Amino acid sequence: MSLSKTTLGPFELFTIETGDFRLDGGAMFGVVPKTLWSRDLPADEKNRIPMTMRCLLIRSKNTGKLYLIDNGAGTKFNDKMEDIYQLDQSNKNLENSFKEHGFSFDDVTDVIFTHLHFDHCGGTSFYNNSDELELTFSNATYHVVDTHWKNANAPNAREKASFLPENITPIKESGKLNLVKENHEYEPGLSAVGVNGHTIGQQLPKVEVDSETLVFVADLLPTHVHVPIPWVMGYDMYPVQTLNEKDAFLKIAAQKNWNLYLEHDAHKEIIRIQYEDGRFSVSDSLTLSDL
């Protein structure tokens, strides 16, 4: 496993790979026919497409903080769940990624959650040798948008399966939960973009230094194949809102040549967007090391 990194102004950025998994292709593309999405993402015999859980580590030279954006599904899945999602952490995992970049889990001062679905926050805790839940990042403060925290603790029936108690409870009981408002600024140059179509209170961390911007797009844009505006996940709670959020976001991204960091794309790490003839498409594909 070879991981990328770069420096943008006062921020050092490091790719963190936490594992691969598979999700149902139909659910990932909603009403888009399989004949269209399968051209780019062929499904297996169970109609699942390849996905990854790519997180981001940010070290600030100004504050000395080490931010981790999301942390994957973790290791708490039983055999049945691992089989359903074809979870593979044999090579890509949190521990290996941290070691490759020369960090330990204790170095993390802040964990910024885009949202609390299981594939984004499961790595926060693990079962120790006594079969008790223990925090992975013992020195970290956990940042969640307040509206999302409320939603995660009282979810509707459709979203309930994504908010697992074994993931949420350790965060709640940590004593280190920090609820933030939408579009929160963590420090100059590191803020978040609020979106609510996929789930209420999702935040997309944004590093902005001079003319260079990188946005961790999480589940607003799961893969590069989701760039067309109507290509929205069946998992989204408010798909029409996602349509509007994607359209507004991608217009700015294309105009300003933003770097969009993809959390779930198994093949592309960062993309740039162009807008031609009324359509958005991928103009460039690169890694952190290319910036």
Side-chain angles (χ1 to χ4, degrees):
M1 183 173 63
S2 181
L3 301 174
S4 56
K5 60 183 179 180
T6 194
T7 299
L8 295 180
F11 301 104
E12 295 176 279
L13 285 73
F14 307 87
T15 296
I16 299 293
E17 297 283 3
T18 72
D20 295 323
F21 70 127
R22 288 179 173 269
L23 287 177
D24 183 83
M28 283 301 296
F29 288 97
V31 299
V32 180
K34 183 177 181 179
T35 52
L36 295 181
W37 57 255
S38 62
R39 297 173 186 172
D40 295 293
L41 291 174
D44 65 11
E45 70 282 357
K46 295 183 179 180
N47 203 46
R48 299 173 303 185
I49 60 172
M51 305 278 286
T52 198
M53 292 170 285
R54 180 181 298 110
C55 304
L56 183 64
L57 198 62
I58 303 173
R59 179 162 60 184
S60 169
K61 298 176 185 177
N62 287 340
T63 63
K65 290 188 174 183
L66 186 66
Y67 301 91
L68 176 62
I69 314 301
D70 286 351
N71 52 50
T75 59
K76 300 190 295 292
F77 273 7
N78 57 33
D79 292 342
K80 179 181 178 182
M81 292 291 281
E82 284 192 11
D83 182 62
I84 290 173
Y85 294 105
Q86 205 66 45
L87 185 65
D88 181 5
Q89 297 176 317
S90 57
N91 182 35
K92 295 179 180 179
N93 56 63
L94 266 176
E95 185 175 4
N96 287 350
S97 292
F98 267 68
K99 283 182 178 179
E100 181 168 332
H101 289 307
F103 293 104
S104 74
F105 294 156
D106 289 344
D107 295 331
V108 176
T109 61
D110 297 81
V111 176
I112 300 175
F113 294 112
T114 60
H115 58 299
L116 296 171
H117 288 168
F118 69 84
D119 51 322
H120 297 258
C121 72
T124 307
S125 57
F126 61 95
Y127 287 112
N128 60 24
N129 293 333
S130 301
D131 204 29
E132 298 172 337
L133 284 171
E134 188 173 326
L135 292 172
T136 307
F137 312 100
S138 57
N139 297 321
T141 297
Y142 304 101
H143 305 280
V144 183
V145 173
D146 54 1
T147 54
H148 184 69
W149 182 252
K150 180 179 180 181
N151 181 49
N153 283 276
N156 60 56
R158 183 163 172 245
E159 200 172 7
K160 186 176 182 179
S162 293
F163 295 120
L164 304 182
E166 61 266 34
N167 290 337
I168 305 297
T169 301
I171 298 171
K172 184 185 299 185
E173 296 178 348
S174 70
K176 297 180 179 181
L177 174 65
N178 180 44
L179 298 181
V180 300
K181 297 297 182 183
E182 194 172 87
N183 304 312
H184 180 70
E185 181 181 67
Y186 290 91
E187 64 176 88
L190 176 60
S191 59
V193 177
V195 286
N196 296 280
H198 175 62
T199 185
I200 294 172
Q202 183 179 196
Q203 58 176 336
L204 314 180
K206 179 172 70 170
V207 176
E208 194 168 14
V209 178
D210 298 326
S211 60
E212 199 78 72
T213 298
L214 181 138
V215 184
F216 188 101
V217 291
D219 281 348
L220 176 67
L221 203 69
T223 74
H224 73 282
V225 185
H226 287 86
V227 168
I229 297 300
W231 292 40
V232 171
M233 289 189 288
Y235 292 116
D236 287 6
M237 291 299 102
Y238 309 99
V240 174
Q241 186 163 351
T242 297
L243 290 175
N244 294 331
E245 289 171 343
K246 275 179 65 177
D247 185 55
F249 178 85
L250 291 178
K251 281 178 179 174
I252 299 173
Q255 179 185 359
K256 297 188 175 182
N257 203 33
W258 282 357
N259 302 292
L260 307 184
Y261 189 94
L262 301 174
E263 186 165 12
H264 290 313
D265 197 304
H267 307 292
K268 297 182 185 297
E269 182 173 314
I270 295 172
I271 58 173
R272 291 173 180 159
I273 300 296
Q274 61 186 3
Y275 185 65
E276 294 180 340
D277 301 323
R279 294 183 178 181
F280 295 103
S281 61
V282 176
S283 60
D284 292 295
S285 175
L286 53 159
T287 70
L288 278 182
S289 298
D290 297 323
L291 297 181

